[in-house]
Amino acid sequence: MSPASQVPTTDAAPVQFLTPSGELVRSAENEEYFPYLDSLGEAEYTRFYRDMLTTRTIDITGTNLQRQGQLGLWPPSHGQEGGQVGSAHAAKAQDHVFPSYREHAVGLIRGVDPLGYMALFRGITHSGWDPNDPKNGNFRLYTLVIGSQALHATGYAMGQQFDGAVGTGNPDADEATIVYFGDGASSQGDVSEAFVFAASYQTPQVFFMQNNQYAISVPVSRQSRTPLYRRGIGFGIPSVQIDGNDVLAGFAVTAKHLDDARAGNGPSLIESLTYRIGAHTTSDDPTKYRMNEEVESWIARDPITRLEAFLRSQGIGDAFFEDLKVEMDDFSSDLRRRTLELQPPSANDMFDYVYSEPHAVLEEQARWHANYEASFSDATTDGSHA
């Protein structure tokens, strides 16, 4: 028997509550998590739908703005709204969130103004929002260095533990950390190092891996010979696989594991099986490495149409969906208008935010730069450069 054939080939089915046709089902895999749906009613279900639709609208608006030359880049999240919206609603206000760069739904739910995404990808700010401002819900900055946020999150979670903010028995005060990353990032050394420290120190942490099937153009089948959630098990971290296009699975499974983390029971890993319908970013052309049949098969499992079918089965009528369409049109127009009104930052900013105290060399550089810029105005006035 070859070593490769000794690798177990059977895995439990991913946790799923809503089938692609919107039917609520019970199974051996979801039984443990079903009690977490008891806290949900019509208000929460419709809120989930609204948040997914808003995120899709942000995505379309951002993509259009980039194609029209108004943004330098846009990373689409089309297709991944289910896992993001569900997991974001499972987090509590005192929890801390470390995103990669396509968690538009998560930031929205934590309180970030989507204009911050546009400012970041328009290239007029390094961040887009202040993670220390309470209105942004402990949502840290986007991280484009693949996987590095897993280390940031683990370090933060270690701090939560050292500060005694975990396992006090007060669920309204105990904290946890959740970090988002992709299937490609799971191959990065940074993520493996984060697993080591998280397992060793039993950090109050959930690793939320969005397996959207491609690390840019490299398919998961080339990245790993085993399901990715098993990577966590290898480090001694409890791990589970979910249907990432099912918002209810995203909510219930994340809620359970965040509760465990806050109670002091250590880290866990959730692999959210989903699909990136759009490009990796607007600089990518996915038609070069994907077949149309594959894309269409995932469109049929769309998280928004799945929840819409469920809501209609619960008696939600046409008026709700029609009103939301009008609301989304207005939302998109407003976001576009505000983006186009953004102004470039002052050149002085690159000198003002280097040191906390005045520095003679930097002041000299600022004077040189001011004189350099002024020289163009003088040249235009006297006509010497005409």
Side-chain angles (χ1 to χ4, degrees):
M1 182 179 291
S2 69
S5 65
Q6 295 174 10
V7 176
T9 56
T10 58
D11 293 275
V15 177
Q16 180 192 72
F17 289 93
L18 291 181
T19 67
S21 60
E23 180 186 3
L24 185 65
V25 294
R26 278 188 178 271
S27 67
E29 287 76 20
N30 71 24
E31 197 61 36
E32 176 185 9
Y33 303 99
F34 235 101
Y36 286 88
L37 299 188
D38 291 343
S39 64
L40 304 181
E42 181 179 310
E44 288 75 23
Y45 292 142
T46 53
R47 171 69 190 276
F48 288 0
Y49 183 84
R50 179 190 296 274
D51 287 341
M52 286 197 290
L53 199 62
T54 304
T55 305
R56 184 73 58 88
T57 302
I58 293 169
D59 208 39
I60 294 171
T61 305
T63 299
N64 289 341
L65 283 167
Q66 197 283 328
R67 294 305 189 206
Q68 294 160 4
Q70 298 297 333
L71 301 181
L73 186 75
W74 182 256
S77 63
H78 185 155
Q80 299 183 215
E81 298 91 344
Q84 288 194 19
V85 167
S87 60
H89 278 291
K92 293 186 176 181
Q94 68 268 26
D95 295 333
H96 288 255
V97 183
F98 288 75
S100 56
Y101 50 83
R102 110 172 56 244
E103 282 70 39
H104 312 319
V106 183
L108 176 76
I109 292 165
R110 298 298 290 187
V112 171
D113 183 343
L115 186 65
Y117 306 149
M118 302 302 168
L120 177 64
F121 291 110
R122 195 171 168 85
I124 62 171
T125 173
H126 290 308
S127 56
W129 55 92
D130 180 357
N132 296 314
D133 188 332
K135 73 179 183 182
N136 293 322
N138 300 328
F139 187 72
R140 302 293 155 177
L141 301 181
Y142 273 1
T143 304
L144 279 78
V145 180
I146 303 300
S148 61
Q149 75 276 13
L151 283 169
H152 305 160
T154 300
Y156 194 88
M158 290 172 66
Q160 288 173 313
Q161 191 177 55
F162 294 151
D163 288 344
V166 180
T168 68
N170 183 353
D172 295 325
D174 285 338
E175 299 179 7
T177 289
I178 182 169
V179 56
Y180 293 84
F181 57 98
D183 47 275
S186 72
S187 298
Q188 290 283 113
D190 306 54
V191 174
S192 292
E193 292 163 13
F195 287 163
V196 169
F197 277 84
S200 297
Y201 286 88
Q202 288 294 284
T203 54
Q205 184 174 8
V206 170
F207 292 92
F208 196 91
M209 180 201 305
Q210 297 177 89
N211 178 357
N212 67 13
Q213 310 301 322
Y214 286 90
I216 306 182
S217 60
V218 180
V220 169
S221 58
R222 179 58 59 86
Q223 298 179 57
S224 176
R225 298 180 69 105
T226 62
L228 296 179
Y229 81 96
R230 292 194 195 174
R231 290 183 167 177
I233 296 171
F235 289 89
I237 296 175
S239 304
V240 62
Q241 200 176 44
I242 69 170
D243 180 343
N245 285 9
D246 173 6
V247 67
L248 300 188
F251 172 79
V253 176
T254 307
K256 193 270 182 190
H257 288 285
L258 280 174
D259 277 356
D260 289 348
R262 292 187 207 97
N265 295 326
S268 58
L269 167 67
I270 299 171
E271 181 189 3
S272 177
L273 292 170
T274 185
Y275 194 80
R276 166 171 50 80
I277 299 297
H280 174 70
T281 69
T282 45
S283 64
D284 169 45
D285 178 3
T287 65
K288 301 295 186 184
Y289 54 84
R290 302 193 308 200
M291 302 299 289
N292 288 338
E293 293 79 6
E294 177 184 299
V295 178
E296 291 300 322
S297 73
W298 280 93
I299 289 175
R301 289 175 262 180
D302 186 88
I304 296 179
T305 56
R306 179 182 309 205
L307 186 59
E308 178 176 341
F310 173 72
L311 291 175
R312 289 186 181 278
S313 73
Q314 300 299 302
I316 304 298
D318 289 340
F320 170 75
F321 300 103
E322 293 302 320
D323 288 348
L324 268 185
K325 288 181 182 176
V326 175
E327 181 181 321
M328 290 302 116
D329 287 343
D330 290 344
F331 174 83
S332 178
S333 297
D334 178 68
L335 181 56
R336 178 181 175 81
R337 175 187 59 76
R338 292 193 295 145
T339 300
L340 297 180
E341 289 175 354
L342 290 170
Q343 297 296 315
S346 166
N348 290 331
D349 285 359
M350 63 180 161
F351 303 108
D352 291 343
Y353 298 107
V354 177
Y355 298 114
S356 60
E357 302 294 332
H359 191 285
V361 173
L362 211 60
E363 289 175 347
E364 174 56 28
Q365 290 179 356
R367 281 193 294 273
W368 179 90
H369 183 264
N371 291 333
Y372 174 75
E373 291 289 345
S375 69
F376 291 94
S377 175
D378 295 342
T380 301
T381 301
D382 65 19
S384 59
H385 288 241

